[in-house]
Amino acid sequence: MEIAGTGQFLPHDKDRRWSSTKTEHILVDAIEHTQRQTLLPTLVQRGAGTVKVHVYGAEPDSLTAGADLARKLAATHGAAKARVVWFLGPEQPEAYAQGVGTRVQLKDFTTGPGEASAVPVHHDKQLHHGAAFAEFAEQMAAHGFAFLSEQMQAGTVGPVLTVLHDGRVAGAIGPMEIMADATRSARLLPQYFGVLPQYRGYGYGRALWRAAMHWGHQHGAAYQILQTEVGGASDRLCAAEGLASLGFVNQREAV
């Protein structure tokens, strides 16, 4: 809250790797806190602007209260969008997140990296030329890989792990980067992760995931937290690989 609106980053903010200026800040004067719930609003100053209200409270009326505050603040700040982000514990029903949210997953490296990849996985610098990854990135632009490819070419991000099929990049996960959290524990940051549709079913996704976990363990990460679409392919993979569910994040427009 002390640096709200200054454009500065906290030392443990993972968004530091993508930008030199923080475009989202807490609306300190609009925070609402009671024994039942906390509503923490932020303003995202990209595009036409978005107000998000982060809701900490398990009662259904907490979501209603958050939506009401989001709409009010969007009007006050001239933001085009109003959104609610509702955090729920693992004991809450999955239905609260179906279609509008994600599951929060924990990988604990203190128990080891897990099984090794059964498929060869390559470092991006092992590719003969950048065109191989650029072709993959273009086809996977909707999953963020075009942006990642630009960052790789600029040399601003850590390594990317890839799997090849007949010499072509079939899947990738990255960038592989570690950052200290607010308690100074080392965490493996979330990655872009995907396999081309025509190459799914070969085990490439699992191979990339396991290689990434080994990279994190070898480079001193204590844990990784990530979000997966409830019931989706990554969600099932994380469950099969033994990750712990920490709960859900329900995100929706405040209509």
Side-chain angles (χ1 to χ4, degrees):
M1 292 188 288
E2 291 176 354
I3 66 170
T6 66
Q8 299 178 48
F9 287 96
L10 292 169
H12 56 270
D13 190 334
K14 61 184 176 60
D15 289 344
R16 288 170 49 206
R17 59 180 173 165
W18 306 124
S19 174
S20 59
T21 304
K22 185 72 174 179
T23 59
E24 180 177 10
H25 67 270
I26 297 171
L27 297 172
V28 178
D29 294 338
I31 295 173
E32 296 184 8
H33 175 65
T34 68
Q35 289 184 334
R36 294 183 64 252
Q37 65 191 21
T38 297
L39 306 179
L40 197 156
T42 66
L43 176 63
V44 182
Q45 296 173 304
R46 288 192 302 269
T50 302
V51 167
K52 298 180 185 177
V53 173
H54 302 75
V55 178
Y56 299 86
E59 300 300 326
D61 59 357
S62 295
L63 184 61
T64 302
D68 290 344
L69 181 60
R71 288 192 295 268
K72 172 186 172 183
L73 292 175
T76 300
H77 292 273
K81 297 180 181 179
R83 188 168 297 159
V84 181
V85 184
W86 190 22
F87 298 92
L88 300 160
E91 74 282 356
Q92 299 295 326
E94 281 192 7
Y96 280 170
Q98 282 286 359
V100 290
T102 56
R103 190 193 313 273
V104 182
Q105 307 267 11
L106 170 68
K107 169 63 179 180
D108 182 357
F109 288 111
T110 63
T111 61
E115 293 187 43
S117 168
V119 175
V121 174
H122 306 270
H123 188 289
D124 64 272
K125 298 186 185 303
Q126 292 174 312
L127 299 177
H128 295 299
H129 47 78
F133 189 85
E135 179 184 357
F136 166 83
E138 183 178 352
Q139 295 180 67
M140 296 288 283
H143 299 272
F145 281 98
F147 170 76
L148 176 57
S149 182
E150 293 173 0
Q151 300 301 309
M152 290 167 60
Q153 292 174 28
T156 59
V157 295
V160 175
L161 307 181
T162 57
V163 63
L164 305 182
H165 186 104
D166 292 336
R168 297 183 60 203
V169 177
I173 186 169
M176 305 304 302
E177 295 175 336
I178 291 174
M179 180 184 291
D181 66 13
T183 67
R184 298 187 179 180
S185 294
R187 57 177 168 157
L188 178 63
L189 294 180
Q191 307 94 8
Y192 292 98
F193 177 31
V195 175
L196 288 170
Q198 63 268 36
Y199 298 127
R200 293 170 188 169
Y202 289 90
Y204 293 157
R206 189 177 301 274
L208 287 165
W209 169 259
R210 289 180 174 177
M213 295 306 99
H214 275 256
W215 189 97
H217 184 260
Q218 291 167 2
H219 288 80
Y223 70 93
Q224 180 177 37
I225 290 179
L226 63 156
Q227 296 181 40
T228 55
E229 178 186 351
V230 176
S234 293
D235 196 44
R236 296 191 298 271
L237 173 61
C238 287
E241 293 294 309
L243 272 70
S245 174
L246 301 183
F248 307 95
V249 180
N250 176 318
Q251 301 189 60
R252 60 178 67 193
E253 300 302 317
V255 296

